Amino acid sequence: MSEIKENALMEKIVSLCKRRGFVFPSSEIYGGFNGFWDYGPYGCRMKRAIENLWWHEMVETRDNIEGLDSTIICHPTVWKASGHLDQFSDLMTDCKDCKSRHRVDQMEDPTTCPNCGSKNLTEPREFNLMMKTYVGPVFDNEHTAYLRAETCQPIFVDFQQVRNSARQKLPFGIAQIGKAFRNEINPRNFTFRSREFTQMEMEFFCDGEQGMEWFEYWKEQRINYYKNKLKFTDDFFRIYEHEKLAHYAKAAIDIEVKFPFGWGELEGVHHRGTWDISQHSQFSGTDLQYIDHDNKRKVMPTVIETSVGLDRTMLALLGKAYDEDTAATQKEGMEEDVRIVLHLPPLVAPIQLAVLPLSKKLNENAEKLYKDMNRYFRCEYDVTGSIGKRYRRQDEIGTPLCLTFDFESAADNAVTVRDRDTMQQERVSIDNLRNYVEDFINR
Ligand code: ATP
C-alpha cells in the first residue's frame, strides 16, 4: 500500500468516482446542487450490493427481524412526538465578511470563521434540520409536512401493525432501508454529509430487563459484520463510547471508521429505553404496549437501535480500498508507472468477475461463459484494448477477479483467472469456475 495523504486521497476518490461513474454531483449541468449526489452505473451496483448484504445479514438470516418499507412523508405529528420539530436543530453562525455559514459544534474556535479567519460572526442561532413540504393544494402551516429525517420513526409508528401481522413476540426487530433528508447547514466531505442520503436501520424491541444484554449482543453483531464481511481492520475501525447520553438513553456507542478525510461516525448502536414507543403512544392516543399473554402483563418495549448510513459505508470502503501501486505495472508489461487499484471486499465490489476474451475471434464461447457466470455473480464483458489495459480498467473499479478466455480454452475447457490484489494467475477448469469464484468471494 502506498501512503496517500488524507487531502490528496479525498481528491483522488472524488475524481475516480466521477471518471468511472460511481458518484457525481446531482444536476451537474445546472452547476450541481450542494449536498445532493447521483450514483452512476458502478455506484449503484456497489450501493445495491451493500444494501443487499446488510439486508441479508440483518433480516433474511434471522427469524426475529421483519422488514418495513414506509413512506418518506408521514403524518406531521410523528415528528412532534419524536422531538424532531422542537429539538432537531444545530446552532449555526454566519461570517459577515466572507458570507460562509458554519455549524458551531464543528468549529474548532467558535469565535473565528474557519473559512477566512474573520472574527466578524453573527450570534449563533438555532436551525431546524427537517425538510419541509406541503401536502394538498394550500401552502400554509396547516398543510405543512416533512420529509423524514431518519428511517426509524415510521418503524416505531408501525410497531404494533408489524408485530401483529408477522405474529412476532418480544424480543424481535424491524428493519428498514430508505432515504432520509436533513437540511444540513454545511454539507461537506463528499457524500459524508449530504442533504439526501440512505439509512439502514434496525430497531430491536425487548423487555427492559434484557435491554443491556441485547445492547451488547447487537454491538458485537455489528462489529463482527464490519470486520468479517466488510474487512475493516483495526487501523480503520474504532468504537466511541458516549459519556453524555440523551435523558432517556441507557447506553450508546458510535462505530467510527477512517474516511478519506479522517475519522468519522459510520454507525450508532443505541439503547433508547422505552422513549420512542411511549412518545408515540402518548401523541397518538393508541396504546402501543406489548401484551405478554404468557405472564399476563403489559410491557412498554425497550428499543435497541442499530443505525448506519449507506453513503458513508460506501465512502469509507472506497477510501480504505484506494491504492496506487507502482511496482505492479512492470510485472504485467504495462507502460504506465502507476496502477490505480481499489482493494474492495469482493462481496461488495461493483463487478466481481470480468470476462475478457484474448481475441475477438473467441467471442462466441467467451460470451456464452460470461452469460452463464452473470447468473451467479456481478460480471462484465470487455473485448476492447490490450489485455493489460483491460486489467487496469478492472483494477480501477475494484474487480477482484479477471478471467481470460484464450485460444486453449475451448480445447482444455479452462481459463486463466487473475487475482486483483496479488496479480497471480491460475488456470481454472470451467466446470469448477462457479465454485472457485464463490469460494473466493466468501472467503
Ligand atoms: P452526525 O453526528 O455525523 O451528524 P448523527 O449522529 O446525526 O450524525 P444519526 O442521526 O445517528 O447521525 O444517523 C445515523 C447514521 O446516518 C449516521 O451514523 C450516518 O451514517 C448517517 N447519516 C446521518 N446524517 C447523515 C448525512 N447528513 N449524510 C450522510 N449520512 C448521514
Short mmCIF file of all heavy atoms in Angstrom, two decimals, residues 265-312:
data_model
loop_
_atom_site.label_atom_id
_atom_site.label_comp_id
_atom_site.label_asym_id
_atom_site.label_seq_id
_atom_site.Cartn_x
_atom_site.Cartn_y
_atom_site.Cartn_z
N GLU A 265 -18.14 9.22 12.15
CA GLU A 265 -19.15 8.23 12.56
C GLU A 265 -19.75 7.52 11.35
O GLU A 265 -20.15 8.16 10.38
CB GLU A 265 -20.28 8.95 13.33
CG GLU A 265 -21.43 8.03 13.66
CD GLU A 265 -22.64 8.75 14.27
OE1 GLU A 265 -22.45 9.77 14.96
OE2 GLU A 265 -23.76 8.28 14.02
N LEU A 266 -19.79 6.19 11.45
CA LEU A 266 -20.42 5.41 10.39
C LEU A 266 -21.75 4.83 10.87
O LEU A 266 -22.74 4.80 10.13
CB LEU A 266 -19.48 4.27 9.97
CG LEU A 266 -20.03 3.25 8.98
CD1 LEU A 266 -20.45 3.90 7.68
CD2 LEU A 266 -18.97 2.19 8.68
N GLU A 267 -21.76 4.38 12.12
CA GLU A 267 -22.98 3.73 12.64
C GLU A 267 -23.14 4.05 14.12
O GLU A 267 -22.15 4.19 14.85
CB GLU A 267 -22.87 2.21 12.44
CG GLU A 267 -23.91 1.41 13.21
CD GLU A 267 -24.21 0.03 12.64
OE1 GLU A 267 -23.70 -0.31 11.56
OE2 GLU A 267 -24.96 -0.71 13.29
N GLY A 268 -24.38 4.12 14.58
CA GLY A 268 -24.65 4.25 16.01
C GLY A 268 -25.39 3.00 16.48
O GLY A 268 -26.26 2.49 15.78
N VAL A 269 -25.01 2.49 17.66
CA VAL A 269 -25.78 1.43 18.31
C VAL A 269 -26.25 2.02 19.64
O VAL A 269 -25.42 2.43 20.46
CB VAL A 269 -24.94 0.15 18.54
CG1 VAL A 269 -25.79 -0.94 19.20
CG2 VAL A 269 -24.35 -0.36 17.23
N HIS A 270 -27.57 2.11 19.80
CA HIS A 270 -28.11 2.86 20.94
C HIS A 270 -29.13 2.06 21.73
O HIS A 270 -29.98 1.39 21.14
CB HIS A 270 -28.83 4.14 20.44
CG HIS A 270 -27.93 5.04 19.64
ND1 HIS A 270 -28.37 5.76 18.57
CD2 HIS A 270 -26.62 5.33 19.78
CE1 HIS A 270 -27.37 6.46 18.06
NE2 HIS A 270 -26.29 6.21 18.78
N HIS A 271 -29.03 2.15 23.04
CA HIS A 271 -30.07 1.63 23.94
C HIS A 271 -30.97 2.82 24.23
O HIS A 271 -30.58 3.73 24.95
CB HIS A 271 -29.38 1.10 25.21
CG HIS A 271 -30.32 0.50 26.20
ND1 HIS A 271 -31.55 1.05 26.52
CD2 HIS A 271 -30.20 -0.62 26.96
CE1 HIS A 271 -32.14 0.30 27.43
NE2 HIS A 271 -31.36 -0.72 27.72
N ARG A 272 -32.20 2.83 23.66
CA ARG A 272 -33.04 4.03 23.72
C ARG A 272 -34.12 3.95 24.79
O ARG A 272 -35.04 4.78 24.81
CB ARG A 272 -33.68 4.28 22.35
CG ARG A 272 -32.63 4.52 21.26
CD ARG A 272 -33.27 4.69 19.90
NE ARG A 272 -34.23 5.76 19.88
CZ ARG A 272 -33.96 7.02 19.59
NH1 ARG A 272 -32.72 7.37 19.30
NH2 ARG A 272 -34.90 7.94 19.61
N GLY A 273 -34.04 2.93 25.66
CA GLY A 273 -35.05 2.79 26.71
C GLY A 273 -36.44 2.63 26.10
O GLY A 273 -36.58 2.12 24.98
N THR A 274 -37.46 3.13 26.80
CA THR A 274 -38.84 2.98 26.30
C THR A 274 -39.34 4.27 25.64
O THR A 274 -40.51 4.41 25.34
CB THR A 274 -39.79 2.63 27.47
OG1 THR A 274 -39.64 3.65 28.48
CG2 THR A 274 -39.47 1.28 28.07
N TRP A 275 -38.43 5.22 25.45
CA TRP A 275 -38.77 6.56 24.98
C TRP A 275 -39.65 6.57 23.71
O TRP A 275 -40.72 7.18 23.68
CB TRP A 275 -37.48 7.34 24.74
CG TRP A 275 -37.61 8.61 23.98
CD1 TRP A 275 -37.29 8.84 22.67
CD2 TRP A 275 -38.09 9.88 24.48
NE1 TRP A 275 -37.54 10.15 22.32
CE2 TRP A 275 -38.03 10.80 23.42
CE3 TRP A 275 -38.56 10.31 25.73
CZ2 TRP A 275 -38.41 12.13 23.55
CZ3 TRP A 275 -38.94 11.64 25.85
CH2 TRP A 275 -38.87 12.53 24.78
N ASP A 276 -39.21 5.86 22.67
CA ASP A 276 -39.87 6.01 21.37
C ASP A 276 -41.31 5.51 21.39
O ASP A 276 -42.22 6.19 20.93
CB ASP A 276 -39.07 5.24 20.30
CG ASP A 276 -37.62 5.68 20.30
OD1 ASP A 276 -37.35 6.78 19.82
OD2 ASP A 276 -36.76 4.94 20.83
N ILE A 277 -41.50 4.31 21.93
CA ILE A 277 -42.85 3.74 21.93
C ILE A 277 -43.74 4.52 22.89
O ILE A 277 -44.92 4.75 22.60
CB ILE A 277 -42.78 2.23 22.28
CG1 ILE A 277 -41.96 1.49 21.21
CG2 ILE A 277 -44.18 1.63 22.37
CD1 ILE A 277 -42.60 1.44 19.85
N SER A 278 -43.20 4.97 24.01
CA SER A 278 -44.00 5.78 24.95
C SER A 278 -44.46 7.07 24.28
O SER A 278 -45.62 7.45 24.40
CB SER A 278 -43.20 6.18 26.18
OG SER A 278 -42.59 5.09 26.75
N GLN A 279 -43.55 7.74 23.59
CA GLN A 279 -43.90 9.01 22.95
C GLN A 279 -45.01 8.83 21.93
O GLN A 279 -45.96 9.60 21.89
CB GLN A 279 -42.67 9.61 22.23
CG GLN A 279 -41.65 10.22 23.14
CD GLN A 279 -42.18 11.47 23.83
OE1 GLN A 279 -42.55 11.41 25.00
NE2 GLN A 279 -42.21 12.59 23.12
N HIS A 280 -44.88 7.80 21.08
CA HIS A 280 -45.91 7.62 20.04
C HIS A 280 -47.23 7.13 20.64
O HIS A 280 -48.29 7.42 20.10
CB HIS A 280 -45.40 6.68 18.94
CG HIS A 280 -44.38 7.35 18.07
ND1 HIS A 280 -44.66 8.46 17.30
CD2 HIS A 280 -43.05 7.11 17.87
CE1 HIS A 280 -43.57 8.86 16.66
NE2 HIS A 280 -42.58 8.05 17.00
N SER A 281 -47.17 6.41 21.76
CA SER A 281 -48.41 6.02 22.46
C SER A 281 -49.11 7.28 22.93
O SER A 281 -50.31 7.47 22.72
CB SER A 281 -48.10 5.16 23.68
OG SER A 281 -47.65 3.90 23.30
N GLN A 282 -48.32 8.16 23.55
CA GLN A 282 -48.89 9.37 24.13
C GLN A 282 -49.47 10.31 23.05
O GLN A 282 -50.60 10.76 23.15
CB GLN A 282 -47.80 10.08 24.91
CG GLN A 282 -48.30 11.24 25.75
CD GLN A 282 -47.13 12.07 26.25
OE1 GLN A 282 -46.06 11.54 26.56
NE2 GLN A 282 -47.32 13.37 26.33
N PHE A 283 -48.70 10.56 22.01
CA PHE A 283 -49.14 11.53 21.00
C PHE A 283 -50.27 10.99 20.12
O PHE A 283 -51.10 11.76 19.62
CB PHE A 283 -47.96 11.99 20.13
CG PHE A 283 -47.19 13.10 20.77
CD1 PHE A 283 -46.29 12.85 21.80
CD2 PHE A 283 -47.37 14.41 20.36
CE1 PHE A 283 -45.58 13.88 22.40
CE2 PHE A 283 -46.66 15.46 20.95
CZ PHE A 283 -45.77 15.19 21.98
N SER A 284 -50.31 9.68 19.90
CA SER A 284 -51.35 9.13 19.01
C SER A 284 -52.59 8.73 19.79
O SER A 284 -53.66 8.53 19.21
CB SER A 284 -50.82 7.90 18.28
OG SER A 284 -50.58 6.85 19.22
N GLY A 285 -52.43 8.55 21.11
CA GLY A 285 -53.55 8.08 21.91
C GLY A 285 -53.80 6.58 21.71
O GLY A 285 -54.83 6.05 22.13
N THR A 286 -52.88 5.89 21.06
CA THR A 286 -53.00 4.44 20.85
C THR A 286 -52.05 3.74 21.82
O THR A 286 -50.86 4.08 21.85
CB THR A 286 -52.59 4.06 19.40
OG1 THR A 286 -53.37 4.84 18.51
CG2 THR A 286 -52.79 2.58 19.12
N ASP A 287 -52.56 2.80 22.56
CA ASP A 287 -51.69 2.10 23.50
C ASP A 287 -50.81 1.12 22.72
O ASP A 287 -51.29 0.14 22.15
CB ASP A 287 -52.56 1.34 24.51
CG ASP A 287 -51.71 0.65 25.58
OD1 ASP A 287 -50.47 0.79 25.51
OD2 ASP A 287 -52.29 -0.01 26.45
N LEU A 288 -49.53 1.40 22.65
CA LEU A 288 -48.62 0.55 21.87
C LEU A 288 -47.89 -0.47 22.75
O LEU A 288 -46.93 -1.10 22.31
CB LEU A 288 -47.60 1.42 21.12
CG LEU A 288 -48.19 2.37 20.06
CD1 LEU A 288 -47.10 3.25 19.46
CD2 LEU A 288 -48.88 1.58 18.94
N GLN A 289 -48.36 -0.64 23.99
CA GLN A 289 -47.67 -1.60 24.85
C GLN A 289 -47.85 -3.03 24.31
O GLN A 289 -48.86 -3.34 23.66
CB GLN A 289 -48.24 -1.55 26.26
CG GLN A 289 -47.82 -0.29 26.99
CD GLN A 289 -48.38 -0.30 28.39
OE1 GLN A 289 -47.70 -0.67 29.32
NE2 GLN A 289 -49.62 0.10 28.51
N TYR A 290 -46.91 -3.86 24.64
CA TYR A 290 -46.94 -5.26 24.22
C TYR A 290 -47.67 -6.07 25.29
O TYR A 290 -47.39 -5.92 26.48
CB TYR A 290 -45.49 -5.75 24.06
CG TYR A 290 -45.36 -7.23 23.84
CD1 TYR A 290 -45.58 -7.79 22.58
CD2 TYR A 290 -45.00 -8.08 24.89
CE1 TYR A 290 -45.44 -9.15 22.37
CE2 TYR A 290 -44.86 -9.44 24.69
CZ TYR A 290 -45.09 -9.96 23.43
OH TYR A 290 -44.95 -11.31 23.23
N ILE A 291 -48.62 -6.89 24.83
CA ILE A 291 -49.32 -7.71 25.82
C ILE A 291 -48.68 -9.09 25.88
O ILE A 291 -48.67 -9.83 24.90
CB ILE A 291 -50.82 -7.82 25.48
CG1 ILE A 291 -51.41 -6.40 25.50
CG2 ILE A 291 -51.56 -8.72 26.48
CD1 ILE A 291 -52.80 -6.29 24.96
N ASP A 292 -48.10 -9.36 27.03
CA ASP A 292 -47.42 -10.64 27.25
C ASP A 292 -48.46 -11.61 27.81
O ASP A 292 -48.74 -11.62 29.01
CB ASP A 292 -46.26 -10.38 28.25
CG ASP A 292 -45.55 -11.65 28.66
OD1 ASP A 292 -45.96 -12.73 28.21
OD2 ASP A 292 -44.57 -11.54 29.44
N HIS A 293 -49.06 -12.41 26.92
CA HIS A 293 -50.15 -13.30 27.32
C HIS A 293 -49.66 -14.38 28.27
O HIS A 293 -50.39 -14.80 29.17
CB HIS A 293 -50.81 -13.94 26.09
CG HIS A 293 -51.60 -12.95 25.28
ND1 HIS A 293 -52.78 -12.41 25.73
CD2 HIS A 293 -51.35 -12.38 24.07
CE1 HIS A 293 -53.24 -11.56 24.81
NE2 HIS A 293 -52.38 -11.52 23.80
N ASP A 294 -48.41 -14.83 28.08
CA ASP A 294 -47.90 -15.92 28.92
C ASP A 294 -47.86 -15.50 30.39
O ASP A 294 -48.22 -16.24 31.28
CB ASP A 294 -46.47 -16.32 28.48
CG ASP A 294 -46.50 -16.83 27.05
OD1 ASP A 294 -47.60 -17.23 26.60
OD2 ASP A 294 -45.45 -16.80 26.36
N ASN A 295 -47.39 -14.24 30.63
CA ASN A 295 -47.26 -13.79 32.02
C ASN A 295 -48.34 -12.78 32.43
O ASN A 295 -48.25 -12.17 33.49
CB ASN A 295 -45.87 -13.18 32.23
CG ASN A 295 -44.80 -14.20 31.98
OD1 ASN A 295 -44.80 -15.26 32.60
ND2 ASN A 295 -43.92 -13.93 31.04
N LYS A 296 -49.32 -12.64 31.55
CA LYS A 296 -50.47 -11.75 31.81
C LYS A 296 -50.03 -10.37 32.31
O LYS A 296 -50.31 -9.96 33.44
CB LYS A 296 -51.42 -12.39 32.84
CG LYS A 296 -51.87 -13.78 32.46
CD LYS A 296 -53.24 -14.11 32.94
CE LYS A 296 -53.82 -15.35 32.32
NZ LYS A 296 -52.91 -16.31 31.69
N ARG A 297 -49.29 -9.69 31.47
CA ARG A 297 -48.86 -8.34 31.84
C ARG A 297 -48.62 -7.52 30.56
O ARG A 297 -48.49 -8.09 29.46
CB ARG A 297 -47.57 -8.37 32.67
CG ARG A 297 -46.45 -8.99 31.92
CD ARG A 297 -45.17 -9.13 32.70
NE ARG A 297 -44.17 -9.57 31.74
CZ ARG A 297 -42.95 -9.10 31.64
NH1 ARG A 297 -42.54 -8.18 32.47
NH2 ARG A 297 -42.12 -9.54 30.74
N LYS A 298 -48.56 -6.20 30.76
CA LYS A 298 -48.28 -5.32 29.64
C LYS A 298 -46.84 -4.83 29.75
O LYS A 298 -46.38 -4.52 30.85
CB LYS A 298 -49.21 -4.11 29.70
CG LYS A 298 -50.58 -4.36 29.11
CD LYS A 298 -51.39 -3.07 29.19
CE LYS A 298 -52.57 -3.12 28.25
NZ LYS A 298 -53.28 -1.83 28.24
N VAL A 299 -46.16 -4.74 28.62
CA VAL A 299 -44.76 -4.29 28.63
C VAL A 299 -44.60 -3.12 27.67
O VAL A 299 -45.01 -3.20 26.51
CB VAL A 299 -43.82 -5.43 28.14
CG1 VAL A 299 -42.36 -4.98 28.17
CG2 VAL A 299 -44.01 -6.69 28.95
N MET A 300 -44.02 -2.03 28.14
CA MET A 300 -43.66 -0.93 27.23
C MET A 300 -42.29 -1.32 26.65
O MET A 300 -41.29 -1.37 27.38
CB MET A 300 -43.56 0.38 28.01
CG MET A 300 -43.34 1.60 27.14
SD MET A 300 -44.66 1.87 25.94
CE MET A 300 -45.87 2.75 26.90
N PRO A 301 -42.21 -1.65 25.36
CA PRO A 301 -40.96 -2.21 24.82
C PRO A 301 -39.77 -1.24 24.92
O PRO A 301 -39.91 -0.04 24.68
CB PRO A 301 -41.28 -2.51 23.36
CG PRO A 301 -42.75 -2.51 23.26
CD PRO A 301 -43.25 -1.57 24.32
N THR A 302 -38.64 -1.81 25.26
CA THR A 302 -37.36 -1.10 25.24
C THR A 302 -36.76 -1.28 23.86
O THR A 302 -36.92 -2.33 23.24
CB THR A 302 -36.45 -1.70 26.34
OG1 THR A 302 -36.88 -1.16 27.58
CG2 THR A 302 -34.98 -1.37 26.12
N VAL A 303 -36.09 -0.25 23.37
CA VAL A 303 -35.57 -0.29 21.99
C VAL A 303 -34.04 -0.27 21.96
O VAL A 303 -33.42 0.58 22.60
CB VAL A 303 -36.12 0.92 21.19
CG1 VAL A 303 -35.39 1.07 19.87
CG2 VAL A 303 -37.61 0.79 20.96
N ILE A 304 -33.48 -1.21 21.20
CA ILE A 304 -32.05 -1.16 20.87
C ILE A 304 -31.98 -0.87 19.38
O ILE A 304 -32.59 -1.57 18.58
CB ILE A 304 -31.34 -2.51 21.16
CG1 ILE A 304 -31.66 -3.04 22.55
CG2 ILE A 304 -29.83 -2.39 20.92
CD1 ILE A 304 -31.24 -2.15 23.70
N GLU A 305 -31.23 0.16 19.04
CA GLU A 305 -31.19 0.60 17.64
C GLU A 305 -29.80 0.41 17.04
O GLU A 305 -28.79 0.72 17.69
CB GLU A 305 -31.55 2.09 17.60
CG GLU A 305 -31.27 2.76 16.26
CD GLU A 305 -31.66 4.24 16.26
OE1 GLU A 305 -32.82 4.53 15.97
OE2 GLU A 305 -30.80 5.08 16.59
N THR A 306 -29.77 -0.09 15.80
CA THR A 306 -28.52 -0.03 15.03
C THR A 306 -28.81 0.81 13.79
O THR A 306 -29.76 0.53 13.06
CB THR A 306 -28.01 -1.44 14.60
OG1 THR A 306 -28.82 -1.94 13.55
CG2 THR A 306 -28.00 -2.43 15.76
N SER A 307 -28.02 1.85 13.57
CA SER A 307 -28.35 2.82 12.52
C SER A 307 -27.10 3.20 11.74
O SER A 307 -26.14 3.74 12.29
CB SER A 307 -28.93 4.06 13.20
OG SER A 307 -29.05 5.09 12.28
N VAL A 308 -27.11 2.89 10.45
CA VAL A 308 -25.91 3.15 9.64
C VAL A 308 -26.28 3.87 8.34
O VAL A 308 -27.35 3.64 7.78
CB VAL A 308 -25.14 1.84 9.35
CG1 VAL A 308 -26.04 0.75 8.83
CG2 VAL A 308 -24.01 2.06 8.36
N GLY A 309 -25.39 4.72 7.87
CA GLY A 309 -25.57 5.41 6.60
C GLY A 309 -24.96 4.59 5.47
O GLY A 309 -23.81 4.16 5.55
N LEU A 310 -25.75 4.40 4.41
CA LEU A 310 -25.27 3.62 3.26
C LEU A 310 -24.21 4.40 2.48
O LEU A 310 -23.18 3.85 2.07
CB LEU A 310 -26.47 3.27 2.37
CG LEU A 310 -26.23 2.54 1.06
CD1 LEU A 310 -25.35 1.31 1.22
CD2 LEU A 310 -27.56 2.11 0.45
N ASP A 311 -24.45 5.70 2.30
CA ASP A 311 -23.49 6.52 1.54
C ASP A 311 -22.14 6.58 2.27
O ASP A 311 -21.08 6.53 1.66
CB ASP A 311 -24.05 7.94 1.36
CG ASP A 311 -25.49 7.91 0.90
OD1 ASP A 311 -26.38 7.60 1.73
OD2 ASP A 311 -25.73 8.15 -0.28
N ARG A 312 -22.23 6.69 3.60
CA ARG A 312 -20.97 6.72 4.37
C ARG A 312 -20.25 5.38 4.30
O ARG A 312 -19.02 5.33 4.28
CB ARG A 312 -21.25 7.10 5.83
CG ARG A 312 -21.55 8.56 6.00
CD ARG A 312 -21.56 8.97 7.46
NE ARG A 312 -22.10 10.32 7.58
CZ ARG A 312 -22.27 10.96 8.72
NH1 ARG A 312 -21.92 10.38 9.86
NH2 ARG A 312 -22.77 12.18 8.75
#
